[in-house]
Amino acid sequence: DAAYETILVETRGAVGLVTLNRPKALNALNARLIGELGDAIQAFEADEAIGAVVIAGGEKAFAAGADITEMASKSFTDVYFADLGGAWGRLVACRKPRIAAVSGYALGGGAELAQMCDVVIASETAKFGQPEITLGIIPGFGGTQRLTRAIGKAKAMDLILTGRMMDAEEAERSGLVSRVVPGDRLLDEALSAAAKIASFSRAAVLAAKEAVEVAHETGLSEGVRFERRAFQALFATEDQKEGMVAFVEKRKPAFRNR
Ligand code: CO8
């Protein structure tokens, strides 16, 4: 879209693709990029033809963090009134699944952006880290919370307190990354996972994502109750009938998002 300066936006069938595009700054997340990313994701959310979104970076960097040159001179009140929660909240609130395609550095805010995605597919070259401590700050886009929930306290403390990076293999073993693939397969793998998700019943996909999110935010019995209600509700959709009748008739289902 011509209106965007820091990202590239395209559609591939039912998949929306956003590519972070500040290669000279290793896709450092400045205010403009964060705003444009929110706009693009919201536009895909509103587009009925889109069933899932891929967020990709470059080969050397998914994103090397918040833009340090932009942050360096900020005061407490600058940061306080900047409404960081609001900017990222717009992205996190979108209900269609987001897949991060991570190659190279995913550091600081870049790692946190990956953590805000539902599926993280990493190239073998990916490196994840929270180097904020080396700058005299701490993660500010949710990293202390989402990383800890994703990989546990021991690993999260190690990364957040030492600022060290972990490679793709360690990130997958730790539970931050869904799959690791060779670099030349990364975008294809992310796009085809997104296309697969987009081919299923939209209602089932949104309900599945929401139910897994509830697991992060509530206790077990409340989560199981939420799941049961969401499961039951899907029996009100035509897609549930179509999916099951197609199985019985040994044909491919044709979901209509009804
Ligand atoms: N911000 C701004 N510019 C950056 C950033 C960044 N985060 N990362 C890299 N760049 C720029 C470099 O300054 C350089 O620019 P130039 O060519 O003009 O000198 C260009 O990108 C290329 O980078 P390098 O030359 O450093 O490339 P190397 O291959 O030598 O090193 C690294 C790559 C290791 C990734 C290195 O660039 C690096 O350490 N970057 C910083 C990583 C970092 O500390 N990120 C955390 C930032 S803090 C954060 O994300 C907090 C989130 C919450 C904030 C709330 C805010 C208000």
Side-chain angles (χ1 to χ4, degrees):
D1 194 300
Y4 296 124
E5 262 175 29
T6 62
I7 57 174
L8 303 170
V9 176
E10 9 173 352
T11 58
R12 305 277 182 96
V15 175
L17 172 60
V18 181
T19 307
L20 311 183
N21 190 32
R22 299 187 69 214
K24 286 189 194 128
L26 303 186
N27 292 331
L29 307 165
N30 62 10
R32 170 134 201 153
L33 188 151
I34 295 167
E36 290 186 356
L37 182 58
D39 290 346
I41 301 289
Q42 271 189 328
F44 283 138
E45 179 81 355
D47 184 345
E48 264 191 46
I50 296 295
V53 175
V54 172
I55 301 176
E59 194 182 331
K60 179 173 174 185
F62 176 70
D67 191 315
I68 297 169
T69 53
E70 191 183 68
M71 270 187 301
S73 64
K74 284 198 191 304
S75 68
F76 166 75
T77 45
D78 290 338
V79 178
Y80 185 68
F81 292 125
D83 189 24
L84 298 170
W88 290 110
R90 290 196 300 136
L91 177 137
V92 170
C94 288
R95 297 158 76 200
K96 291 176 185 171
R98 292 179 290 284
I99 297 182
V102 179
S103 172
Y105 297 110
L107 302 178
E112 291 166 300
L113 171 58
Q115 293 156 21
M116 287 181 234
C117 293
D118 304 298
V119 177
V120 180
I121 302 187
S123 131
E124 289 160 346
T125 65
K127 285 192 183 305
F128 295 84
Q130 303 288 165
E132 288 89 343
I133 199 80
T134 69
L135 299 166
I137 57 169
I138 67 170
F141 299 155
T144 63
Q145 306 304 300
R146 290 199 182 87
L147 185 65
T148 305
R149 281 166 165 77
I151 70 178
K153 179 181 163 188
K155 283 269 179 201
M157 283 287 192
D158 179 5
L159 290 166
I160 290 168
L161 292 177
T162 70
R164 79 170 175 90
M165 294 183 206
M166 62 178 174
D167 64 16
E169 193 273 325
E170 183 182 1
E172 186 188 30
R173 176 159 37 89
S174 305
L176 181 60
V177 158
S178 316
R179 312 179 192 174
V180 180
V181 299
D184 60 357
R185 291 270 319 128
L186 178 67
L187 193 60
D188 280 350
E189 188 93 1
L191 288 169
S192 65
K196 173 153 243 178
I197 291 167
S199 77
F200 295 133
S201 169
R202 179 88 35 93
V205 167
L206 299 191
K209 172 167 143 70
E210 191 178 6
V212 175
E213 283 163 349
V214 167
H216 271 256
E217 286 169 17
T218 63
L220 180 64
S221 53
E222 202 181 323
V224 168
R225 208 159 31 238
F226 179 90
E227 180 199 76
R228 190 174 308 132
R229 289 288 173 266
F231 170 85
Q232 290 158 342
L234 290 169
F235 284 76
T237 65
E238 291 172 20
D239 282 344
Q240 173 268 329
K241 301 288 173 300
E242 169 62 12
M244 293 189 181
V245 169
F247 177 85
V248 171
E249 293 176 353
K250 301 190 190 300
R251 60 171 174 83
K252 269 193 76 148
F255 293 121
R256 294 169 51 242
N257 298 330
R258 293 277 158 224

